[in-house]
Amino acid sequence: MMQFTESPTLHHHHQMMPLSNNPSMLNKLSNSVRPWPVGFPSSTKPIAGGGLGDANCMEQLLVHCATALETNDATLAQQILWVLNNIAAADGDSNQRLTCGFLRALVSRAARTGSCKILTAAINTTASLAVHKFSVIELASFVDLTPWHRFGFTAANTAILDAIEGYSSVHIVDLSLTHCMQIPTLIDALATRLESPPLLKLTVAGATEDVPPMLELSYEELGSKLMNFARSRNITMEFRVLPSSSSDGFASLIDQIREQNLVHSQIGEALIINCHMMLHYIPEETLSMGHTSDSPSPNLSTSPQTFSYRNFFLKKIRTLDPTLVILVDEDADFTSRNLVTRLRSAFNYLWIPYDTVDTFLAKGSKQRQWYEADICWKIENVIAEEGARRVERPEPKGRWVQRMRSSGFRDISFGEEAASEVKTMLDEHAAGWGLKKEDDELVLTWKGHNVVFASAWVPSI
């Protein structure tokens, strides 16, 4: 088991003091590691203050910088960015690397939106990290490094095995960010736990979005490898790719499944909808877009302004009458239209992957570069992008629970076996990881902070 590295930093939400009313912060700005660039104001009076490396201080600097960008205050934005560039080392501790990711994102936002045009010339160390394209073996090993995804795999597979008992055929619609990396473990479980394994049908949405982690091979090639693996375990497996997109709530995929799945209840086939870290890429609402000829039927919404593709998706899968729906996602909220609110939410959540990486990946390793590049991609999308290009929009567990219930589902509790399997899996990782149960959902934690939740649902009667 990897050793746990204790971190004294506690991240929490706090009241933000305006920079102009915070002389200690102004002093820190005027006494940064490097002198101000030529032409930058430096007339603030020195007043004693704490260190700039504190996570709360870094968050305040980022928030004030974002506010300056939004109000087009180039002078203040440049001052703060210069300080951040000095204290947020790309190869520093976890807080510094986290802040560096946000620094990159803020500069990228300024460049894309045209705000504070001259500031990017002063900061020249903010190039985005390259996102790696994984081979299947690399991605499988990468996912195994941390419980971030394994937690959901473990809880989901246990619930799926319980739900399909007695069925001769199982159809799994796998909407997963990790490109079916959950499926080999499920195949193993089917082969070892069931005397007469069912026919396994696997349907996936085509990889149409460039969202990390990225796979270097096509889904057709991936399907061939999965079917070969299933054959080696004496499991008969069918694999198909239905090109579809999260941008419209996977509407075409669901329609095709409905057409091809009308007889599943007649032939004793279990239908499992497995949603792993994917639903938060569905737009949460069309806002001012309104309905067009290509939009889903407005009958599901009272007005275009309140139409929700997420609710649309959930109501569509409810019409399929699935045997089980698994929903696993990050317990965070990046949906605010306000940049500062979104930045604070992201900062107070994304410190977790930076903190955990120090426990399992060596500094300078290729895997660590890949891991942090993926986090930086997420940060940049949350901070620098707007509109349809901002796809990283997680919602907290409670909001998804409300969506599921209002769409005609009821949650079912994970059994003791699921909790036991998850705990056994967590024993293979750093001691900071934990498990708790909130109502019927299981929640993965890091040092007591919620990270990922897993929930299981069946149609309401």
Side-chain angles (χ1 to χ4, degrees), residues 6 25 82-83 102 157 221 272 276 282 308:
E6 185 61 44
M25 183 71 74
W82 189 259
V83 175
F102 279 87
N157 283 347
E221 293 172 299
I272 309 295
H276 182 91
I282 299 175
S308 167

Side-chain angles (χ1 to χ4, degrees), residues 4 40 59 86 96 123 125 171 175 179 203 235 270 328 339 367 401 407 454:
F4 168 54
F40 281 18
E59 182 188 357
N86 280 288
Q96 290 173 319
I123 307 295
T125 62
H171 181 192
L175 300 176
H179 311 289
T203 298
I235 300 289
V328 175
L339 174 63
Q367 285 186 319
V401 168
S407 299

